[in-house]
Structures are given as structure tokens and as C-alpha cells.
Amino acid sequence: DTEVTQTPKHLVMGMTNKKSLKCEQHMGHRAMYWYKQKAKKPPELMFVYSYEKLSINESVPSRFSPECPNSSLLNLHLHALQPEDSALYLCASSPSGTGAYEQYFGPGTRLTVT
Amino acid sequence: GENVEQHPSTLSVQEGDSAVIKCTYSDSASNYFPWYKQELGKGPQLIIDIRSNVGEKKDQRIAVTLNKTAKHFSLHITETQPEDSAVYFCAAMGPTTSGTYKYIFGTGTRLKVLA
């Protein structure tokens, strides 16, 4: 299995809702990432998990809460989001968390906050 | 901080012609340089990469060159086809202060191949 899967594909939520995004990989990769991508912009790093521990938080607001239950699974919990948080949320994984390696991206979750 | 400049922002070529996209990075500690292709509604797909100890790498119609001294790297696509139309991102990867590694992406190039 050489892919990163993300669910759901699309999500519409109100500003008072709580929802979660899910990411899964079965390539044995030890680093996993959350990115946010706005239209016509490059992906913007949010969080990095290396060996199931949070190693980078790019000053992301607390309404985004990441979780890494095991080496194959990464969640992003969403609460009290703002309309400007509407974007494509991408998950990626990489073979190692301690070296410069390729990252493999999932198809993303298109999030709309109303 | 680390910065990656990418040019041009848009590029239109005739089918069969070559396309070249250029990137410049600022952090000399960067040691890995991938290129991603992103089609509409999809996640970025790794198409080719190069490490800092290599000057050039080729995979069929795609090649990447790296000039470490000038901190430049470029993507070359030959014999372009309509299915090459997409947004292309370069990235530079280097160590952070926490001991992990992260990408710095370029701003993207929208390539249109005209049939």
C-alpha cells in the first residue's frame, strides 16, 4: 500500500461545530504532517509528528488540535472554527522524522466553515 | 527565515515544446529538493527529487538540475503533453532547530500545455 488516505473528502461545518479529519498511511512511515492550503497558494505547514510525538507546531490556533493515536493514523480535531479556516487540508507522511526525505500527500479534505 | 522563490508564476507552452521552472532557496543547510505536481482538486504528487550531493537527475521526460553554489534548482519537462498541465511546486528541505526536517515550498507555477 503506497498511498495516504484522508476522510472525509468534503466537510461543511458551522462555527460552533466540532468535527475531526482523519489521515491514514500503511507505508511504515514515521513522520506525519498536516498542511493547510488556500486557493492558488502552496501548502502551509501546521503540525509535524515524528515517531508519534508532536515535534513541530507552527503557531497554529488552539481551535485546531492534532492527535496521533499510532504510527499509521493522524487526526485533526476542529472546534469553533472561523470562515477564514475554509481551505484544503492535506495530510502527508515521510519515511523518517529525522532526515530529509520525500513526503507523500493524501488527496486532502476540502473544508468549508459557514 | 528560509525562503524559496519560484518563477515563473504562469507558463504556457505549445504541445511538444519544453518547459523550465526555476527556484532559488536561501538556507545553505537545505539538502533535499523535491518537485510536486498538483492537479485541480487533488493533493500534490511527487514527480522528481534531488539531493544536495547530486547535480542532475532525469526520469524520462522530466529532469531536475541543482546548482548548490548559486542555490538554484530547476525543473525541465521535455516533449510536453496536455496532461502535463497542472500547478508545479518546488520545495527545499532542511533541518529545524527541533531536530526535525520540514519543507519550504515555492509559490507555484501554473503550467498550461496548449494542444
Side-chain angles (χ1 to χ4, degrees), chain A residues 6-92:
Chain A
Q6 289 187 246
T7 54
K9 283 190 175 181
H10 302 275
L11 178 62
V12 179
M13 60 185 290
M15 291 188 283
T16 58
N17 291 161
K18 283 186 180 181
K19 296 286 185 182
S20 297
L21 309 184
K22 179 180 173 181
C23 173
E24 205 160 359
Q25 58 89 12
H26 295 287
M27 296 178 279
H29 289 178
R30 303 316 304 267
M32 296 185 77
Y33 307 76
W34 280 116
Y35 287 86
K36 173 182 177 181
Q37 187 178 28
K38 300 284 263 184
K40 300 186 178 182
K41 296 289 187 181
E44 180 183 333
L45 184 64
M46 300 174 71
F47 302 103
V48 180
Y49 273 84
S50 176
Y51 297 94
E52 300 166 47
K53 292 186 178 178
L54 184 65
S55 59
I56 295 179
N57 175 342
E58 294 284 270
S59 302
V60 178
S62 60
R63 58 186 183 268
F64 295 91
S65 176
E67 179 194 18
C68 188
N70 59 57
S71 60
S72 300
L73 191 57
L74 186 67
N75 297 321
L76 185 63
H77 303 297
L78 314 172
H79 173 56
L81 295 192
Q82 304 296 309
E84 59 264 30
D85 296 322
S86 298
L88 181 67
Y89 287 84
L90 295 162
C91 174

Side-chain angles (χ1 to χ4, degrees), chain A residues 85-113:
Chain A
D85 296 322
S86 298
L88 181 67
Y89 287 84
L90 295 162
C91 174
S93 71
S94 183
S96 171
T98 56
Y101 288 89
E102 62 275 21
Q103 292 182 19
Y104 295 94
F105 284 83
T109 293
R110 174 74 60 190
L111 174 67
T112 303
V113 181

